[in-house]
Amino acid sequence: MDAPPEAQPAERPRNAAATRRRLLDAAAELFAERGYERTTVRAIAERAGANQALLFRYFGSKDGLLTEVVARGSLEQLHATAPEDLFETALRSMLTRSGSGADRSLEVYLRSVGRGDEATGTLRELGGEYQKVLAGLTPSPDGALRADLAMAWLLGIGLMRTVAAREPLASADPETVCRLVLTTMDRFWTLPSPPPPGPEAG
């Protein structure tokens, strides 16, 4: 278990802001590569070129750092994107994760969910926020179910492409994947709800 090392002298504001950004960037990379549980505070600090004490000073804990990584990525994307564009934006972000400056927060989610009790609350909150927005895309009373199904497909694509690296999906052209998936999703939100099951025959 990572414990806070002894406190260090305070940084100047400009240096503090730069160090904070480096820690967030390093954490995002390592959480995406290794998952939450397997990423240590020491490794994050080393990649950021910072002292571990500064990580605890700025974020309080590894869980606090995860919260900020997710907030900077997925929650920021969620609040800045029109609901009707959210699924496509999230899909494209995940498919092009290797680009310079690419948002890797969904990959962090994939590699971290279920990997540590500390991370669970943050990740559950993220899933709930996405569900609420996506459920509003359909007038159907089963909107929450449809939102969960859409998220399951999105995260399943991410799991197969970035975590399992299963071919041919792992190396498929992002535009091809988007065309196939989004064509189906356009109809998904407008499909009428199936009628409730009738009474069982006696």
Side-chain angles (χ1 to χ4, degrees):
M1 179 176 172
D2 296 302
E6 294 181 6
Q8 300 292 315
E11 289 186 295
R12 287 178 295 180
R14 182 177 298 177
N15 290 343
T19 301
R20 200 174 190 281
R21 282 195 301 272
R22 292 201 312 273
L23 286 166
L24 280 168
D25 290 342
E29 292 170 2
L30 287 168
F31 287 151
E33 292 167 10
R34 305 178 185 178
Y36 176 84
E37 195 172 51
R38 294 178 58 199
T39 298
T40 66
V41 167
R42 181 186 298 275
I44 295 169
E46 286 178 355
R47 182 167 293 195
N51 190 288
Q52 290 182 63
L54 295 175
L55 185 151
F56 288 100
R57 177 183 298 164
Y58 299 145
F59 305 103
S61 65
K62 189 170 76 167
D63 185 41
L65 183 54
L66 174 67
T67 299
E68 293 227 19
V69 167
V70 171
R72 190 177 67 159
S74 290
L75 289 177
E76 184 177 285
Q77 181 183 83
L78 178 70
H79 297 142
T81 306
E84 61 272 19
D85 297 329
L86 181 61
F87 185 92
E88 179 176 355
T89 300
L91 176 63
R92 289 185 180 279
S93 174
M94 185 164 55
L95 293 172
T96 57
R97 65 188 175 86
S98 59
S100 176
D103 173 33
R104 302 186 73 182
S105 50
L106 277 175
E107 195 177 352
V108 171
Y109 183 104
L110 284 168
R111 291 189 183 273
S112 302
V113 67
R115 298 290 186 89
D117 292 340
E118 292 179 273
T120 301
T122 299
L123 300 175
R124 187 182 294 120
E125 176 188 355
L126 173 62
E129 291 288 330
Y130 266 80
Q131 184 200 63
K132 283 191 290 187
V133 173
L134 293 175
L137 296 177
T138 175
S140 174
D142 63 357
L145 173 60
R146 295 188 192 213
D148 275 353
L149 290 171
M151 290 167 59
W153 195 11
L154 175 66
L155 296 175
I157 291 169
L159 182 67
M160 296 290 283
R161 182 177 173 94
T162 67
V163 180
R166 183 177 177 85
E167 295 293 356
L169 180 57
S171 58
D173 174 57
E175 288 302 320
T176 299
V177 176
C178 284
R179 177 174 54 83
L180 292 169
V181 172
L182 296 174
T183 299
T184 303
M185 288 306 299
D186 284 344
R187 186 162 180 261
F188 176 76
W189 300 115
T190 57
L191 279 171
S193 298
E200 293 183 9

